[in-house]
Amino acid sequence: MYSYNDILDVHFEVTSKCQARCPMCIRRINGGMLNPFIELNEVSLDTFKKWFPHQFIKQLNSFFMCGNYGDPIIARDSLQILQYIREQNPSIQLSMHTNGSARSKEWWKHLASTDTRVVFGIDGLADTHSLYRIDTDFDKIIENAQEFINSGGHAEWNMLVFKHNEHQVEDCRILSRQLGFKNFQVKHTTRFQGDSFPVLDDSGKVTHYLEASDRSVEILQKVKFVKSRGDISCKASKWKQIYVSTSGNVTPCCWTDVKDRPHNNPSRYDYMNKVGIFPNLEEYTLENIFDSGYFEMISDTWFNDPLHECSRQCGTFDKFGEQFI
């Protein structure tokens, strides 16, 4: 695939903690009780410096703070880590994805000074947003985004569309422009298994149901993933990217970090049969992991029987111009 010295982009999960209870997030079981397979932790500034030597930081073009489970703004040292990266590499492109429903105005003002592009997940207006982004506060998110923008920050609005908010897409687009967001992006989900998705509380009681938007239903009926030789066009390889989880797992992308999924999860089962290891920065250096041939173990599967997640995320399928989760 590529070598240690080739890496240009890092996708980093600074924490697996999050205050939100998004029903389709694997952190929670349908928005209810916490997934027992997930360890709640975060990466300190000192650990970050140990994992990523300053010379490595200097070679990067971009650094994206997001992850599979947590929200970066919840981690104690997320701002300090971004400040440290900026000091080591003044020209690097920094970005973050967040629900935006935490921290003080002062914190957001400091974040703007790091020249970090921030993508806010805002799924509707005040009356619909929290139907999916449970336990987040729409008014606080807008307040934080406005402080960030007013302080010179580059903000973007991502809207996940469902049946309950699809009528608000244009209103959200207009509001994003009024507030000073630089971009507005509509996203759809392929996580529906049926006509509706039950949302649970901690006791397991159904509080409401999510339904796919009309456009999502149309896309779900047409998307076809192809698993055969020559069908994998790896984005991580193209972008020279690695993904590092909050526990220190190193994989090509966030989709291949399946360690914390249930043991009977199809993607984890498939990965364990074909690769079987999760190299970790608590045991090896990043350079050692690349020298081990681990990344080649993954790319070798592409020419015979690709990993399930490689086929799902980077296989050939019809394009519709929208983004998915």
Side-chain angles (χ1 to χ4, degrees):
M1 291 179 70
Y2 43 91
S3 69
Y4 172 82
N5 292 323
D6 291 331
I7 305 171
L8 299 176
D9 177 56
V10 171
H11 178 182
F12 180 62
E13 180 182 52
V14 67
T15 182
S16 55
K17 302 173 185 177
C18 183
Q19 87 282 32
R21 301 161 62 100
C22 302
M24 291 179 171
C25 175
I26 199 171
R27 286 186 72 257
R28 297 271 179 176
I29 299 176
N30 290 43
M33 65 178 291
L34 191 67
N35 187 329
F37 289 91
I38 298 173
E39 296 181 10
L40 297 181
N41 48 36
E42 60 184 60
V43 179
S44 68
L45 177 60
D46 288 341
T47 297
F48 182 87
K49 290 179 179 179
K50 182 180 72 172
W51 288 357
F52 303 102
H54 69 276
Q55 286 300 330
F56 174 75
I57 296 294
K58 291 179 184 296
Q59 82 181 40
L60 299 177
N61 286 343
S62 59
F63 184 94
F64 176 46
M65 189 177 281
C66 184
N68 284 330
Y69 305 114
D71 192 301
I73 64 175
I74 300 300
R76 182 191 62 190
D77 289 352
S78 56
L79 175 60
Q80 289 81 351
I81 288 172
L82 291 169
Q83 290 171 332
Y84 171 75
I85 297 171
R86 177 61 69 202
E87 290 170 1
Q88 300 302 311
N89 187 340
S91 63
I92 194 171
Q93 295 179 4
L94 297 176
S95 57
M96 170 194 289
H97 198 298
T98 177
N99 63 54
S101 187
R103 297 292 189 172
S104 66
K105 287 186 176 181
E106 195 66 21
W107 190 91
W108 286 98
K109 184 180 298 185
H110 286 307
L111 181 62
S113 71
T114 67
D115 192 22
T116 297
R117 179 180 68 96
V118 176
V119 180
F120 291 81
I122 311 176
D123 301 333
L125 299 174
D127 60 329
T128 61
H129 168 78
S130 295
L131 290 175
Y132 183 75
R133 304 274 174 173
I134 300 169
D135 286 353
T136 67
D137 186 322
F138 177 83
D139 292 334
K140 181 166 181 57
I141 295 166
I142 297 302
E143 179 182 278
N144 289 340
Q146 193 67 83
E147 183 66 30
F148 178 73
I149 292 168
N150 290 345
S151 299
H154 178 116
E156 300 185 12
W157 181 322
N158 271 12
M159 180 178 178
L160 190 56
V161 179
F162 298 93
K163 188 76 172 177
H164 64 259
N165 64 3
E166 63 182 334
H167 64 288
Q168 295 179 332
V169 169
E170 287 309 310
D171 287 338
C172 289
R173 192 190 307 274
I174 292 169
L175 179 60
S176 74
R177 292 172 182 162
Q178 293 173 342
L179 295 173
F181 283 85
K182 300 294 186 182
N183 188 41
F184 178 86
Q185 178 72 56
V186 167
K187 299 181 72 174
H188 300 272
T189 178
T190 58
R191 295 179 183 176
F192 279 97
Q193 299 299 316
D195 296 334
S196 62
F197 190 97
V199 180
L200 310 179
D201 60 18
D202 277 331
S203 69
K205 179 182 177 181
V206 176
T207 59
H208 60 283
Y209 289 87
L210 299 175
E211 295 181 56
S213 68
D214 291 341
R215 181 58 176 151
S216 296
V217 171
E218 181 183 349
I219 293 169
L220 283 166
Q221 291 173 342
K222 293 181 179 180
V223 170
K224 298 179 181 178
F225 298 102
V226 180
K227 296 183 66 174
S228 60
R229 182 170 179 166
D231 288 326
I232 304 301
S233 179
C234 177
K235 300 181 184 70
S237 182
K238 177 182 178 181
W239 300 332
K240 301 295 188 294
Q241 180 196 74
I242 60 169
Y243 174 75
V244 179
S245 75
T246 187
S247 59
N249 295 335
V250 178
T251 54
C253 66
C254 64
W255 302 106
T256 47
D257 181 31
V258 294
K259 185 177 182 180
D260 290 334
R261 298 188 190 182
H263 291 189
N264 63 349
N265 176 274
S267 291
R268 190 184 195 281
Y269 184 80
D270 176 69
Y271 179 96
M272 294 305 294
N273 282 338
K274 296 171 184 175
V275 180
I277 60 172
F278 293 95
N280 191 281
L281 289 173
E282 288 298 305
E283 302 175 32
Y284 309 99
T285 67
L286 192 54
E287 196 163 6
N288 289 155
I289 291 171
F290 269 87
D291 290 342
S292 72
Y294 163 72
F295 282 80
E296 286 69 28
M297 292 176 66
I298 292 177
S299 60
D300 286 348
T301 71
W302 300 342
F303 304 100
N304 182 25
D305 186 15
L307 288 176
H308 174 74
E309 284 298 333
C310 292
S311 293
R312 185 172 183 269
Q313 303 302 330
C314 293
T316 302
F317 60 92
D318 294 334
K319 304 295 192 297
F320 300 97
E322 289 98 343
Q323 291 189 14
F324 303 90
I325 66 165

